[in-house]
Amino acid sequence: MRSFLDRLAQLAVVFGALCLTVMTAIITYQVVARYVFNSSPAWSERLSLVLLAYLVFFGAAAGVRLGFHICITAIRDAMPGPVASVFISATHILVAAAGLVILLAGFQLTTTLWEFAIPSLGIPRGLALLPLPVCGGMIILFSIANLIGLGPEEQAEAA
Amino acid sequence: MELIVLFLSLLGLLAIGVPVAFALLISSMIVFALLGLNPLIAVQRLSAGIDVFTLMAIPFFIFAGDLMTQTGIAARLIKVAEGVFGRIRGGLGHVDIGASMMFGAVSGSAIASVSAIGSTMIPIMEERGYDRAFSVNVTSAAAILGLIIPPSHNMIIYAAASGISISIGDLFVAGILPGLLCAAVLMVTVSIIAAKKGYPKGSFPGLGVLFVSAISALPGLMTAVIIVVGILGGVFTPTESSAVAIVYTLIIGVVVYRSLGVPQFKAAVINSAKTTSMIMLIIGSAAAFGWLLALLEAPRMLSDLILGLTNSPILIIAMVLVCLLLLGTFMDMAPLIIIVTPIFLPVMQAIGMDPVHFGIIMMLALGIGLITPPVGTVLFVASAVGKIRMEDTVRSMWPFYLALLLSLLLVAYIPQISLLLVK
């Protein structure tokens, strides 16, 4: 289970990295097209923004597993052991709750906007919002895993 | 009432260790529910807060900076700085500052700066008899320069958060003199400490060596020139310039420096994807939080409060500086820029301050927040790189806080320092 979750998080980051690479290529192409071919593509900025959403939300979900989100641990660290572990559990529950709202809202936004097309791309607007529910689902999964002691290895040792 | 709940829940969430992005989002959701609004709107604001073309420059700047770091540019910049500043008393302290300043121009990230410059400079300094705490102090204070020396992605966040049209090119140019000023003030501080502690002078490597190291660092430093000149000349938008900077760095790294291979590229792109998603999620959540603040009329209330207390620009600037410094001590830079810009900018405009000038003030004030406890990301990283406890770093840090505070006051009260180079 642990290695599955680790792999899922790493996969999400690699997917994000891929999006970043493609975004770079698209915007560079936009500059080249303007100066070399004298025409700016209409789709480039919009498509990069869609990719940015995938990069951010997939990466953000992975961050819950890989622990790279910035948080303030000074107060928690100063607390006696039992209090600190209550804080840690509360954090996982709250992050899971936020994940649930992201999942529900994202699902609603994606389905509502599915029938509308993004004009410059011709793809459903919902496709740009799809990362939201996926991210929400992954956040819930990773937070619950953290809560029930299936967190990443280092964390299990520390606890 | 709702405002109080918003801030108290945010503080409570941060205190128990909820990540900043989620704390902003959850406290917004709570108040959305309290106001009878659908909390799903918070998610909609989050998504809309990221869906901004100008902000796409942020992942690109981060990626360009990570790639540049992977080429090993830090070592080249340190060589140049050593040639220029090495022979002054406390030479390595000056080298650290000079190298951080140049690194700021190629990466724009204070955290990248402490880890890249610090990991090389701190061991060398210790070896030559400098206190380790002193080395960590200099490195973290100098890392702030990267936020002011152009290009700086935080300035893009500021421009996007301002809600008015502020030229990113102007902001970049406005950062040059304040950046040099801070570097000079920090160098004076290093000289004083070095004289007191009897830190050694280095030797001058000779003009030839300096020339060679400068030539070898030049292609890297050109990135900053391409970005700034490209934006100012109207050749690229800031987002395009940052994408071009990535391609340029790739070419330099592969063809000229020959230090960028597939493993380095992989490390850079993975690291950038992580940093980007972390920062952009914070920006999106801060956008939802800021949207609520605007809905609850917090900006108007605060500006009424401040302008009701006094109409002296000097005092108003002082009050805003204190607020920025205090907020900066316990919050990270990106969310603060998004949240406080719409609150303070109207006040500053009301007393006739140029928005570009205020942007520079904000970068410096919040930058100082990055090296102050309890939440000082740059301080954490610098202490970790120097393998020293944060408390020990902070104990000897005060001369550098004073130096940066002095620079902040000069920059805040003498608008020309920022605006002289702007058309």
Side-chain angles (χ1 to χ4, degrees), chain B residues 83-98:
Chain B
V84 179
F85 302 112
R87 70 203 123 143
I88 312 172
R89 182 166 290 285
L92 288 180
H94 300 285
V95 171
D96 196 325
I97 294 169

Side-chain angles (χ1 to χ4, degrees), chain A residues 62-97:
Chain A
V64 173
R65 175 82 190 169
L66 304 175
F68 58 72
H69 286 294
I70 295 182
C71 54
I72 303 166
T73 55
I75 300 173
R76 187 170 80 193
D77 294 343
M79 292 288 159
V83 182
S85 42
V86 171
F87 278 14
I88 292 174
S89 302
T91 299
H92 294 323
I93 295 171
L94 285 162
V95 172

Side-chain angles (χ1 to χ4, degrees), chain B residues 96-360:
Chain B
D96 196 325
I97 294 169
S100 301
M101 193 170 72
M102 289 186 275
F103 192 82
V106 295
S107 106
S109 156
I111 293 186
S113 177
V114 272
S115 33
I117 303 289
S119 58
T120 312
M121 286 302 298
I122 295 171
I124 299 180
M125 288 172 82
E126 198 174 17
E127 199 179 297
R128 303 218 194 138
Y130 292 76
D131 285 338
R132 193 187 292 190
F134 171 79
S135 321
V136 175
N137 292 158
V138 182
T139 309
S140 28
I144 303 308
L145 297 171
L147 304 167
I148 319 163
I149 299 273
S152 151
H153 70 249
N154 286 295
M155 291 181 182
I156 296 171
I157 304 181
Y158 170 73
S162 70
I164 55 173
S165 149
I166 300 178
S167 151
I168 290 171
D170 285 353
L171 278 170
F172 280 0
V173 173
I176 296 174
L177 289 183
L180 292 174
L181 172 81
C182 285
V185 174
L186 287 175
M187 284 183 169
V188 171
T189 314
V190 164
S191 296
I192 296 172
I193 299 176
K196 256 193 185 149
K197 298 211 172 181
Y199 287 145
K201 289 178 191 179
S203 55
F204 185 58
L207 269 180
V209 176
L210 176 58
F211 183 73
V212 170
S213 58
I215 291 290
S216 108
L218 197 63
L221 283 170
M222 279 303 288
T223 330
V225 178
I226 291 174
I227 292 173
V228 175
V229 173
I231 295 176
L232 285 177
V235 185
F236 321 119
T237 64
T239 307
E240 289 172 352
S241 79
S242 53
V244 170
I246 294 172
V247 176
Y248 173 80
T249 308
L250 276 175
I251 296 172
I252 290 295
V254 174
V255 180
V256 182
Y257 290 159
R258 298 185 182 192
S259 49
L260 205 59
V262 174
Q264 287 81 10
F265 177 84
K266 243 193 213 160
V269 75
I270 293 282
N271 195 38
S272 303
K274 287 182 183 171
T275 313
T276 299
S277 48
M278 187 261 290
I279 290 187
M280 293 299 283
L281 188 74
I282 293 181
I283 289 175
S285 304
F289 192 90
W291 189 82
L292 260 183
L293 284 180
L295 188 76
L296 298 169
E297 299 196 314
R300 190 189 52 77
M301 279 154 65
L302 193 85
S303 83
D304 284 356
L305 177 73
I306 292 181
L307 296 172
L309 281 175
T310 171
N311 51 13
S312 146
I314 294 178
L315 285 178
I316 291 175
I317 294 175
M319 276 194 277
V320 171
L321 287 183
V322 171
C323 288
L324 289 175
L325 288 169
L326 284 179
L327 287 169
T329 58
F330 70 89
M331 242 317 206
D332 222 45
M333 192 154 176
L336 273 181
I337 297 174
I338 299 264
I339 294 168
V340 304
T341 301
I343 297 182
F344 288 131
L345 184 58
V347 179
M348 301 317 259
Q349 283 183 296
I351 60 166
M353 182 182 279
D354 190 304
V356 170
H357 178 203
F358 182 55
I360 303 301

Side-chain angles (χ1 to χ4, degrees), chain A residues 13-14 16-17 20-21 23-24 27-28 30-31 34-35 45-46 48-49 52 55-57 59-60 64 66 68-72 75-76 87 90-91 94-95 98 101-102 104-106 108-109 129 132 139, chain B residues 13-20 22 25-26 29 39-40 43-44 46-47 50-53 56 59-60 63 234-236 239-240 243-244 246-247 265 269-270 272-274 276-278 280-281 330 332 375:
Chain A
V13 172
V14 170
L20 181 58
T21 313
M23 284 162 62
T24 311
I27 297 301
T28 310
Q30 172 178 310
V31 177
R34 189 168 67 237
Y35 287 105
E45 294 196 349
R46 206 52 253 172
S48 317
L49 273 173
L52 177 64
L55 156 61
V56 172
F57 290 112
V64 173
L66 304 175
F68 58 72
H69 286 294
I70 295 182
C71 54
I72 303 166
I75 300 173
R76 187 170 80 193
F87 278 14
T91 299
L94 285 162
V95 172
V101 181
I102 295 175
L104 293 175
Q108 198 180 341
L109 286 168
L129 293 156
L132 277 172
I139 289 175
Chain B
L13 289 163
L14 289 174
I16 64 169
V18 175
V20 176
F22 289 98
L25 192 63
I26 297 169
M29 285 169 176
L40 302 190
V43 178
Q44 206 176 0
L46 161 72
S47 159
I50 293 168
D51 197 28
V52 181
F53 185 67
M56 206 155 63
F60 291 155
F63 190 18
V235 185
F236 321 119
T239 307
E240 289 172 352
V244 170
I246 294 172
V247 176
F265 177 84
V269 75
I270 293 282
S272 303
K274 287 182 183 171
T276 299
S277 48
M278 187 261 290
M280 293 299 283
L281 188 74
F330 70 89
D332 222 45
V375 184

